[in-house]
């Protein structure tokens, strides 16, 4: 943050560094267009016409930043940072606004009010700090809701936070805070208002330097802010101070589908204590089985309901013009009741108006074992998510990982199953760790998976069809259970 910037600073005096940081946010997904249409002349009319917008757009093709050029142009007037920040906030571009004028930290009175509301313990245990320590009142602390709240200390909001960075790097199973690690950083368990949360701390890497990571980060923030669904992981907040980027999510007590299919206890974020008087039967079973180093296998009924929840989450994403682009069992998280929540929208892209539109991308993203042929060529279409979901269905059926050093890619086992001359049958393929499956239901899911995995994207079903097929299987399971 540049402390010399105030709301009265002229736009022309914004430093180069701040312009660059603003452009990291605003160039992405054409966010700068929201700003450009809101800029007014002193007489009240719009300063920039459609023609101007087109001209800024063309700059992108020349490798220039439309945001920087816009600020250069607007800076020829006496407009101020305060006007820009008002525009940014009116479009909920809070992270960009905070680059220029960070929101004031909560006053001591407001903070006191939150403590009082939450009882004797401080409600905001900053992650990594001692439980008893009150939140640090550092000068750069931001505890400002993104969506305006009427109450100070309201916790259900989408907020930005300043975290301490002293996570215990040991896995949770060894008493530390670390619950997992992915392509973009490490995930830790923390507490916010005494509620467990998952904090994904993003790491700059060789192929993802800080500025690119910031774009990725901003993309995830913007996406999560608007996309809310019972089958999507909810983001509680984020922190973006200097190079420390982190996203705070609802904690998913049963970890990832990948880990639960493998019954990996070391990665179970919560191995419940057998002494916990509040443990329910499920917790206790998990606890005792953890003594044998395994979490209990998911039943067929649970697996089908997880598949249905995931398809519902994806249907919601596609219905809102988003392609996930990294559908995989590691990105399907399970809450305390094993409800599926799709996570990681960092790779999603708004796909214009038309969900069936195909986009080309310069950077092929996603995880190889799940990638549709066209995704490998850099195309982005909702049908690639359908393909990846087909791989997840095979994992659900077989309990096998998507790729294995000896077995190769899971999708390749289909050739053997479908080839009558080969030994492998569908029955052999089914995970022996579950017992409640029925052949007709397994066949339906296998057939659906095969359709999702069609090499030609136009032959694959849309996610709505996938959902209704799974729903029929789930219904037949519940009819069987009643009968
Ligand atoms: N909200 C959460 N609640 C509980 N555990 C989580 C949460 N988010 C992530 N995890 C755990 O952390 C692991 C790593 O997650 P992360 O998203 O960083 O990596 P990944 O999904 O394996 O790969 P990628 O970076 O491609 O998404 C997950 O597999 C899961 O076990
Ligand atoms: Mg993930």
């Amino acid at each position: 943050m540049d402390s010399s910037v105030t709301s009265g600073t002229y736009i022309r005096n914004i430093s180069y560094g701040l312009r660059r940081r603003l452009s990291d946010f605003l160039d992405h997904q054409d966010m700068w267009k929201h700003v450009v249409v809101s800029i007014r002349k002193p007489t009240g009319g719009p300063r920039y016409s459609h023609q101007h917008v087109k001209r800024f757009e063309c700059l992108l093709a020349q490798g220039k930043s439309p945001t920087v050029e816009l600020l250069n142009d607007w800076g020829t007037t006496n407009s101020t940072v305060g006007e820009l920040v008002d525009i940014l906030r009116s479009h909920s571009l809070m992270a960009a606004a905070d680059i220029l004028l960070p929101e004031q930290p909560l006053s001591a009175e407001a903070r006191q009010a939150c403590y009082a509301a939450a009882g004797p313990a401080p409600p905001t245990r900053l992650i990594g700090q001692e439980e008893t320590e009150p939140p640090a009142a550092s000068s750069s602390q931001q505890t400002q809701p993104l969506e305006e709240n009427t109450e100070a200390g309201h916790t259900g909001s989408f907020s930005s936070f300043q975290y301490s960075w002293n996570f215990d790097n040991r896995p949770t199973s060894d008493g530390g805070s670390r619950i997992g690690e992915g392509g973009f950083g490490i995930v830790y368990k923390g507490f916010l208002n005494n509620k467990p949360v998952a904090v994904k701390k993003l790491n700059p890497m060789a192929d993802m330097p800080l500025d690119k990571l910031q774009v990725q980060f901003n993309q995830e923030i913007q996406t999560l802010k608007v996309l809310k669904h019972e089958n999507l992981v909810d983001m509680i907040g984020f922190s973006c101070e200097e190079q420390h980027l982190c996203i705070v999510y609802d904690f998913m007590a049963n970890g990832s589908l990948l880990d639960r299919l493998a019954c990996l206890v070391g990665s179970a974020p919560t191995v419940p204590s057998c002494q916990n008087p509040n443990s329910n039967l499920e917790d206790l079973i998990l606890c005792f089985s953890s003594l044998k180093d395994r979490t209990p296998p998911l039943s067929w009924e649970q697996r089908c309901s997880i598949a249905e929840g995931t398809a519902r989450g994806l249907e919601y994403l596609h219905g809102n013009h988003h392609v996930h682009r990294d559908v995989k069992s590691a990105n399907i998280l399970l809450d305390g009741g094993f409800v599926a929540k799709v996570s990681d929208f960092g790779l999603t892209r708004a796909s214009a108006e038309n969900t069936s539109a195909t986009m080309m991308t310069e950077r092929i993203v996603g995880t190889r074992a799940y990638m549709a042929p066209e995704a490998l060529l850099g195309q982005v279409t909702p049908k690639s998510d359908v393909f990846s979901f087909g791989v997840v269905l095979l994992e659900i059926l077989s309990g096998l990982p998507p790729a294995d050093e000896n077995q190769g890619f899971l999708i390749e086992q289909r050739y053997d199953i479908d080839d009558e001359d080969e030994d492998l049958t569908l029955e052999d393929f089914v995970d022996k760790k579950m017992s409640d499956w029925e052949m007709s239901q397994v066949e339906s899911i296998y057939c659906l998976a095969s359709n999702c995995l069609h090499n030609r994207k136009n032959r694959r079903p849309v996610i709505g069809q996938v959902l209704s097929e799974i729903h029929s299987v789930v219904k037949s399971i519940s009819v069987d259970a009643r009968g």
Side-chain angles (χ1 to χ4, degrees), residues 200 330-331 343-344:
K200 185 181 277 190
N331 280 341
S343 76
D344 280 330

Side-chain angles (χ1 to χ4, degrees), residues 260-271:
R260 294 296 68 74
L261 286 173
C263 304
L264 273 184
V265 86
S267 61
T270 41
V271 176

Side-chain angles (χ1 to χ4, degrees), residues 27-341:
D27 286 352
H28 180 63
Q29 287 190 350
D30 289 343
M31 294 293 175
W32 59 272
K33 285 188 184 168
H34 294 296
V35 178
V36 89
V37 296
S38 304
I39 299 173
R40 307 258 138 205
K41 291 191 212 157
T43 50
R47 176 173 166 83
Y48 295 105
S49 67
H50 189 62
Q51 284 305 323
H52 289 113
V53 175
K54 282 258 164 265
R55 228 174 290 149
F56 287 126
E57 242 173 2
C58 289
L59 294 168
L60 262 180
Q62 298 166 23
K64 292 186 181 161
S65 157
T67 303
V68 169
E69 298 302 323
L70 168 66
L71 293 178
N72 288 345
D73 186 86
W74 193 18
T76 57
T77 67
N78 281 339
S79 296
T80 61
V81 163
E83 290 167 55
L84 172 56
V85 166
D86 284 347
I87 291 176
L88 292 170
R89 294 215 164 107
S90 72
H91 291 286
S92 297
L93 296 166
M94 301 305 187
D98 281 357
I99 290 175
L100 294 165
L101 296 178
E103 289 272 23
Q104 292 308 303
L106 286 182
S107 65
E109 293 76 31
R111 237 180 287 141
Q112 203 53 50
C114 337
Y115 297 161
T124 309
R125 191 192 313 158
L126 292 186
I127 289 161
Q129 287 183 323
E130 292 300 318
E131 271 181 45
T132 48
E133 205 178 306
S138 97
S139 58
S140 59
Q141 182 177 348
Q142 303 168 45
T143 314
Q144 188 61 41
L146 259 184
E147 319 261 49
E148 282 300 321
N149 287 309
T150 47
E151 282 172 52
H154 176 82
T155 58
S157 67
F158 185 92
S159 308
S160 68
F161 305 97
Q162 171 74 41
Y163 284 112
S164 154
W165 294 97
N166 306 319
F167 292 108
D168 183 333
N169 215 24
R170 288 171 303 158
T172 43
S173 50
D174 293 347
S177 313
R178 184 189 180 110
I179 50 180
E181 182 166 5
F184 295 100
I186 301 176
V187 183
Y188 296 95
K189 182 177 180 182
F191 287 90
L192 196 62
N193 300 336
N194 295 324
K195 188 179 162 230
V197 290
V199 182
K200 185 181 277 190
K201 188 177 167 190
L202 306 183
N203 279 339
M205 288 157 284
D207 65 334
M208 180 70 75
L210 184 63
D211 54 343
K212 282 224 175 100
L213 190 65
Q214 253 164 350
V215 171
Q216 182 96 33
F217 177 78
N218 188 41
Q219 187 168 321
E220 181 139 353
I221 302 296
Q222 296 300 337
T223 310
L224 283 173
K225 208 172 86 177
V226 291
L227 297 173
K228 298 280 171 199
H229 186 269
E230 109 127 295
N231 296 110
L232 300 183
V233 173
D234 204 15
M235 178 170 89
I236 296 171
F238 65 92
S239 165
C240 55
E241 268 298 298
E242 301 297 325
Q243 74 271 39
H244 298 305
L245 306 178
C246 78
I247 306 180
V248 185
Y249 299 96
D250 249 357
F251 180 73
M252 297 291 117
N254 283 303
S256 72
L257 174 62
L258 178 77
D259 291 345
R260 294 296 68 74
L261 286 173
C263 304
L264 273 184
V265 86
S267 61
T270 41
V271 176
S273 159
C274 300
Q275 268 115 55
N276 181 350
N278 299 324
S279 293
N280 57 28
L281 186 60
E282 224 158 33
D283 286 343
L284 289 173
I285 293 168
L286 181 59
C287 176
F288 287 119
S289 67
S290 75
L291 300 175
K292 289 189 248 117
D293 270 359
R294 288 312 271 161
T295 56
L298 296 170
S299 66
W300 174 240
E301 188 178 358
Q302 277 177 316
R303 291 176 199 219
C304 290
S305 128
I306 290 165
E308 185 182 12
T310 307
R312 229 178 261 291
L314 291 175
E315 188 196 37
Y316 172 83
L317 282 180
H318 292 182
N320 283 282
H321 316 300
H322 278 84
V323 181
H324 186 291
R325 302 175 73 203
D326 199 17
V327 173
K328 57 180 180 176
S329 55
N331 280 341
I332 298 166
L333 301 180
L334 305 171
D335 75 2
F338 289 92
V339 173
K341 311 264 181 177

